[in-house]
Each structure stands twice: as C-alpha cells, then as structure tokens.
C-alpha cells in the first residue's frame, strides 16, 4: 500500500506523535500553538520602532511557521488571527489615545482579519515543496489587500516599516516595501524550516537534501540579496545641494483640541521661524534656501483671515526664503488639508491638497451608521475633507520639493508619484499633536526612513510637536528634535534625480508576488483535491 499525503486543509496525521504523559499535558499541548502564535505576534510588535530590534521579526515569523505548518486552513485562520491581535493591538494603541478604546479595538479587530486569512493560506501551502516562498508571498498579498481595503486601505504595520535599522533595508531600493517585507518574512519562515531540518537530521541521522536546500535558500537569498543591493543606496549629491530649514513650532496643548486657542499654533511656528532668522543674521546658523513647516502649522485659514496672512508674511520676510505652510483651507465649499508655498515677496504662489485622507480622522465613512452607534464620533469629524487630485511638487529656490502629507507616507503610490513628478527631495509635513507622546511619531518616522532608501531622496519630516527630523537618502537620521518643544533644524542636504529600480518598477514587484501567492495557493488546493480523490479510490 502506498501512503498518500493528507488532503490540503486537513491536519497531517502521518507523522508519529508522542503520547502525552497526562491529560494536563495533553491540554497544554493543545493550546500551545495558540499561545505561540499570539506571543510571536507580540514579538513582531517589539521589533518595530521606537525600538531598534528589527531582527526579532525573524524569530517571530519562524514561530508563526511552527504554529501553522501542517495544519488545516481552519486552524490556520484562528492562529493567524491570534498572531494579528498580538501584533496589532500594541502597535496601534495610539489610535485610541484621545478617542478611547472603542475605535482602537474595532480597527485592530478588522485589520487582524487580513492576517487571519494569510494564516489560513500559509497553513494550506505549508505542505508544498519550498513552502516558505509561497507563505512569504501570501503575507505580501495580505499586506497588498490591507493597503487598499476597506476605506482605501490602512498600510500601517507593513513589515517593511519595522526594518529601518535592519540588514534588509537596501532591498527597499530594489522593489519597495513589498520586496523588503517579503524578504524578511521569507527569511523568518526559512529559519523555522532550517531548524526543523536540523532537528530531523539529528534525530534520524539522515538529511533530506531537497528540504535542506529549500531552507538554506530561504534564509540565504534574502540576506545575499540585501548585501547585493547596497550599491543602490547612496547619499551622494547628483544635482548639487540645498540648505533646508525644518521648523517645529510646538502646540499649546496635546490632544484633539491642540488648535483650540485661535492662531496659537500659527504664532508658535512664526515665532520659531523668526528666532531662526535672528540666529542667521547673527551668524549662528546657516541661511536656508527654503523653509518647511508641518501639517496644520497654520491653525486658521490664511486665505480667509488677514491676520494669519500677515503673520506668515512677516515670518517669510524675516527668514528671506520661501516657506511651505500647512493649513486647513475652505475653498469653493470644500475643506482641504493643504500645503501652501509662501513666497517672501509674492505671498502664496502654489498649493498642494492632500490626496490620501484619513478615514475617521479627516472624513467619516458610514456617517449615519457611526452616528447611530455614537454621535460623539460624528461630532469629532463634523465636516469631511475633500481629496486633492494632483501630485504636489513645489519649486523652492530652484529645488523640486515633493510633498507627502502625514498619513500619505504609509502609501507606496503617494510617495512614488512625487518622485516620478520630478521631486529632488521629499518633505513629509505631519501633525502628531493629537497622539500625545505615543509611539505613533516614531513609527511614522521609520516609514520616512524607508521611503528615503526606496527612492534615494533626502526626506525631511517637519512635525508640529515632534519628532521632526532630516533623513539622508541612505536612511540615516542626521538631525532630529525632541517631542513637545519648539525647535528648528538647518542642514545642507544632497539633491538627487536618478530613479531607483523601486521607483521605476512601481507596483510591478507587488503584482508579481501576489501572482506567486496565487500560484502557490492554487497548487496546494489542486494537490489536496488529488489527494482526496486518491484516498477515496
């Protein structure tokens, strides 16, 4: 009689199992995979900023591989959900800082569903030869879906965004966040397979060459690929340099009412700019070619309020350089989160309207349903923001500066479009005053570091209340501020115009990996169908 593989989706019961010594031990073993999945999710969270423990992502996925390998799709679904909860609950706790635990828990519950579906898929493909490849591609496919739905997606927590200090970072220049994240997950699953092969070889005295080769390649290829990609990472100037000033004016108070005191936030940023101007005149600071203010740095509409316009005019004349000012503007009945290019002689000369606006923060989906659940939430977003439609690249003192406003930094397309539209430098004006001293600002700063390497551009991060920073094209932070302090950063930075493979390829690597995932899943399902038919003969 010839043994057949168990159908895909069914547990593998062909391997000998030790009989537990007691019912208590049996219960413990039954719950062990669930505990491992949840704890590995927490381990993945610990690998993310502000910690620099990027390498913990590898044992996190190795442990997930142990929990999922050889199980049915239903078990994979549950274990994947536990892994997602362990990862996302602590990672996204900042979303409930000012609005309470309800929205935070709801967001995590929904986002963890994507991880659960990936877990089910990984369990299904885990019996295929070279399963780490298919499993890692499935994770990438899950991230691709999560970045697009629901409500135009929520990419926060992409594996790539935890790798700003890591060995694999140069891969961002090869294929963007999908390739970087894929490499990390592949290496993690490969690590599990390598340990498994070593244990089996020690126990049996025999080495299965195909399994050992697959494990070795799963670990070695991502590492060697990252080392080979290092020449793509450079901070050399291609188009000369520019001296940039990043202004962090601070806010009167943290929380949702950070701008409750009329014109206070604008005054703070104007005051810090004028302080810097005085230092320039005294020879204590370099004169900037242009100045970058954060998102919402003008807490009142400068087009509708003469006093706000006068304050910005005065600051621009004092520093003698164009300023990119963040404001909330109402135009033609539309509310816009806008960056305004303010010339010291001409006033406002160009604008960029944020295109990827934040659901439940800048607009409220399902407003009537949400209002029926809790009318306080609808009052927090009383009027929806409108979306911009065009990339934002300001010409500032001869430098092409691409604007990526806050939440947009999480979306691959929003950053790439500025570079393909000619940006020599990227600015990510942000406002994190509503999230107090949470980890949100460090998570977002790590995104900007990954984007710097992905597109080989200097990235500046002007933030209302911290942490503001200047990031070189190789991902290094050269200057940064503290939190909830007024400060300014001035630095001569390299300008670059060449495009990395990631910039040129755009979404293509992600599409390829999604197709790989679909191919692996299709193969596994077909193999399972054949196995069931053979078993029924």
């Amino acid at each position: 009689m010839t043994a057949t593989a168990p159908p895909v989706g069914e547990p593998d019961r062909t391997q000998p199992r030790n009989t537990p010594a007691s019912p208590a031990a049996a219960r413990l073993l039954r719950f062990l995979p669930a505990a491992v999945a949840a704890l590995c999710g927490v381990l993945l969270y610990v690998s993310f900023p502000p910690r620099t423990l990027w390498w913990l992502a590898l044992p996190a996925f190795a442990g997930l591989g142990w929990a999922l390998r050889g199980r049915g799709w239903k078990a994979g679904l549950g274990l994947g959900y536990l892994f997602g909860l362990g990862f996302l609950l602590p990672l996204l706790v900042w979303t409930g800082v000012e609005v309470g635990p309800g929205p935070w828990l709801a967001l995590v519950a929904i986002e963890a569903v994507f991880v659960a579906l990936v877990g089910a898929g990984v369990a299904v493909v885990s019996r295929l030869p070279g399963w780490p490849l298919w499993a890692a591609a499935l994770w990438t496919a899950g991230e691709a879906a999560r970045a697009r739905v629901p409500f135009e997606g929520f990419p926060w927590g992409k594996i790539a965004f935890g790798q700003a200090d890591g060995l694999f970072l140069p891969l961002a220049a090869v294929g963007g966040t999908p390739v970087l994240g894929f490499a990390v997950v592949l290496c993690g699953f490969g690590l599990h397979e390598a340990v498994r092969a070593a244990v089996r070889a020690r126990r049996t005295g025999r080495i299965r060459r195909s399994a050992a080769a697959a494990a070795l390649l799963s670990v070695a290829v991502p590492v060697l690929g990252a080392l080979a990609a290092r020449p793509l990472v450079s901070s050399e100037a291609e188009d000369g340099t520019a001296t940039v000033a990043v202004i962090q004016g601070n806010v009167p108070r943290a929380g949702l009412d950070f701008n409750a005191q009329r014109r206070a936030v604008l005054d703070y940023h104007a005051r810090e700019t004028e302080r810097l101007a005085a230092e320039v005149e005294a020879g204590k600071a370099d004169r900037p070619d242009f100045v970058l203010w954060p998102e919402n740095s003008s807490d009142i509409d400068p087009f509708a309020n003469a006093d706000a316009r006068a304050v910005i005019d005065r600051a621009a004349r004092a520093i003698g350089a164009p300023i990119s000012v963040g404001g909330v503007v109402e135009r033609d009945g539309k509310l816009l989160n806008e960056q305004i290019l303010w010339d010291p002689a001409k006033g406002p000369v160009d604008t960029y309207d944020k295109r990827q606006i934040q659901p439940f923060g800048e607009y409220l989906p399902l407003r009537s349903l949400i209002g029926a659940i809790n009318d306080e939430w609808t009052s927090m977003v009383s009027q929806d923001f409108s979306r911009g439609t065009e990339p934002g690249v300001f010409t500032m003192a001869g430098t092409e500066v691409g604007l990526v406003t806050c939440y947009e930094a999480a979306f691959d397309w929003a950053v790439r479009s500025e570079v393909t539209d000619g940006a020599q430098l990227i600015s990510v004006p942000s406002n994190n005053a509503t999230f107090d001293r949470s980890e949100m600002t460090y998570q977002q700063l790590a995104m900007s570091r990954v984007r710097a390497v992905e597109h080989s551009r200097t990235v500046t991060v002007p933030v209302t209340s911290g942490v503001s920073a200047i990031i070189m094209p190789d991902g290094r932070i050269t200057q940064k501020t503290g939190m909830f302090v007024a400060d300014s950063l001035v630095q001569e930075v390299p300008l670059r115009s060449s495009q990395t493979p990631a910039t040129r390829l755009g979404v293509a690597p992600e599409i390829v990996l999604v197709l790989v995932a679909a191919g692996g899943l299709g193969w596994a399902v077909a193999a399972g169908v054949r196995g069931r038919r053979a078993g029924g003969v």
Side-chain angles (χ1 to χ4, degrees), residues 401-428:
V401 180
L403 284 305
V404 180
T405 305
C406 196
Y407 184 59
E408 292 182 321
F411 292 83
D412 296 345
W413 68 268
V415 185
R416 177 177 179 267
S417 67
E418 313 304 70
V419 179
T420 57
D421 206 46
Q424 300 168 297
L425 175 149
I426 299 170
S427 182
V428 185

Side-chain angles (χ1 to χ4, degrees), residues 275-346:
R275 187 196 66 78
L276 174 62
E279 288 196 348
V280 170
E281 290 301 321
K284 297 179 181 179
D286 293 335
R287 183 175 296 279
D289 295 313
F290 53 89
V291 180
L292 301 168
W293 283 11
E295 176 188 34
N296 302 149
S297 47
S298 179
D299 49 0
I300 57 176
D301 184 348
F303 294 106
N305 294 271
D307 58 334
R309 184 181 184 115
V311 169
I312 300 171
D313 272 334
R314 186 172 65 245
R317 287 195 300 269
I319 197 68
I323 304 176
S324 179
V325 177
V328 175
V329 172
E330 190 165 358
R331 183 180 297 116
D332 301 326
K334 296 179 179 180
L335 196 62
L336 301 165
N337 186 337
E338 191 165 83
Q339 287 290 310
I340 308 164
L341 175 54
W342 210 283
D343 185 86
K346 302 176 183 178

Side-chain angles (χ1 to χ4, degrees), residues 145-173:
R146 198 161 66 85
R148 290 166 173 82
V149 293
F151 313 125
E152 299 197 2
F154 186 74
W156 217 278
K158 272 190 167 186
I159 299 306
F161 296 149
Q163 297 295 309
D165 291 291
L167 167 71
F168 301 99
L169 180 61
L171 289 170

Side-chain angles (χ1 to χ4, degrees), residues 191-408:
L191 181 63
H192 160 69
E193 191 66 2
V195 171
R196 180 172 169 271
V199 170
R200 184 172 54 236
R202 183 174 182 179
R203 187 175 63 243
T204 64
R206 291 178 295 177
I207 297 177
R208 290 178 56 187
R209 292 183 179 179
S210 59
L216 179 63
L217 288 172
S218 297
V219 175
V221 169
V223 173
L224 294 176
L227 295 176
R230 283 189 173 183
L232 295 174
V233 181
S234 173
S235 289
E236 295 296 321
E238 295 175 335
D239 304 315
T241 62
T243 301
V244 59
V246 170
I247 301 297
Q248 178 176 299
N250 205 7
V251 297
R253 60 180 69 85
L256 291 173
D257 62 344
F258 75 95
N259 62 353
Q261 184 179 339
R262 186 183 189 277
R263 224 187 69 185
V265 178
L266 172 57
D267 286 346
Y268 281 20
H269 285 81
R271 185 181 307 145
E272 180 60 25
T273 303
E274 290 167 357
R275 187 196 66 78
L276 174 62
E279 288 196 348
V280 170
E281 290 301 321
K284 297 179 181 179
D286 293 335
R287 183 175 296 279
D289 295 313
F290 53 89
V291 180
L292 301 168
W293 283 11
E295 176 188 34
N296 302 149
S297 47
S298 179
D299 49 0
I300 57 176
D301 184 348
F303 294 106
N305 294 271
D307 58 334
R309 184 181 184 115
V311 169
I312 300 171
D313 272 334
R314 186 172 65 245
R317 287 195 300 269
I319 197 68
I323 304 176
S324 179
V325 177
V328 175
V329 172
E330 190 165 358
R331 183 180 297 116
D332 301 326
K334 296 179 179 180
L335 196 62
L336 301 165
N337 186 337
E338 191 165 83
Q339 287 290 310
I340 308 164
L341 175 54
W342 210 283
D343 185 86
K346 302 176 183 178
V349 294
D350 201 357
T351 60
Y352 167 64
D353 299 323
K354 187 176 182 181
R355 294 170 292 165
Q356 187 69 45
I357 57 177
Q358 183 183 352
F360 304 100
E362 292 171 308
Y363 78 100
L364 197 62
L366 310 173
R367 181 175 289 274
S368 58
L369 176 61
I370 297 296
I373 297 171
N374 188 332
D375 58 2
E376 289 185 7
W377 294 346
T378 59
S379 65
M380 291 178 186
V381 189
S382 57
Q383 181 181 351
D384 291 343
F385 279 78
S386 295
R387 304 172 188 274
T389 58
E390 299 294 331
V393 179
F394 287 168
T395 302
M396 304 183 73
T399 298
E400 300 299 310
V401 180
L403 284 305
V404 180
T405 305
C406 196
Y407 184 59
E408 292 182 321

Side-chain angles (χ1 to χ4, degrees), residues 390-477:
E390 299 294 331
V393 179
F394 287 168
T395 302
M396 304 183 73
T399 298
E400 300 299 310
V401 180
L403 284 305
V404 180
T405 305
C406 196
Y407 184 59
E408 292 182 321
F411 292 83
D412 296 345
W413 68 268
V415 185
R416 177 177 179 267
S417 67
E418 313 304 70
V419 179
T420 57
D421 206 46
Q424 300 168 297
L425 175 149
I426 299 170
S427 182
V428 185
S430 303
N431 172 30
N432 54 25
T434 54
F435 302 111
D436 206 352
R437 296 181 181 273
S438 70
E439 293 182 355
M440 178 269 186
T441 188
Y442 300 103
Q443 294 171 10
Q444 191 175 53
L445 184 60
M447 291 180 194
S448 295
R449 294 179 63 192
V450 172
R451 298 306 185 191
V453 173
E454 181 180 13
H455 299 292
S456 194
R457 294 292 186 272
T458 298
V459 177
T460 61
V461 186
V463 185
T464 50
S465 56
V467 174
S468 298
I470 296 176
I471 304 166
M472 291 293 98
D474 61 5
R476 288 179 299 117
I477 297 175

Side-chain angles (χ1 to χ4, degrees), residues 38-49 51 53-54 56-61 83 86-87 91 139 157 159 162-163 184:
L39 289 174
C40 285
V42 175
L43 192 64
L44 181 59
Y45 155 70
V46 176
S47 75
F48 270 65
R51 296 156 295 277
L53 303 173
W54 59 270
L56 286 178
L58 302 182
F61 280 102
F83 182 82
F87 172 45
L91 185 81
W139 184 275
I159 299 306
Q163 297 295 309
V184 174

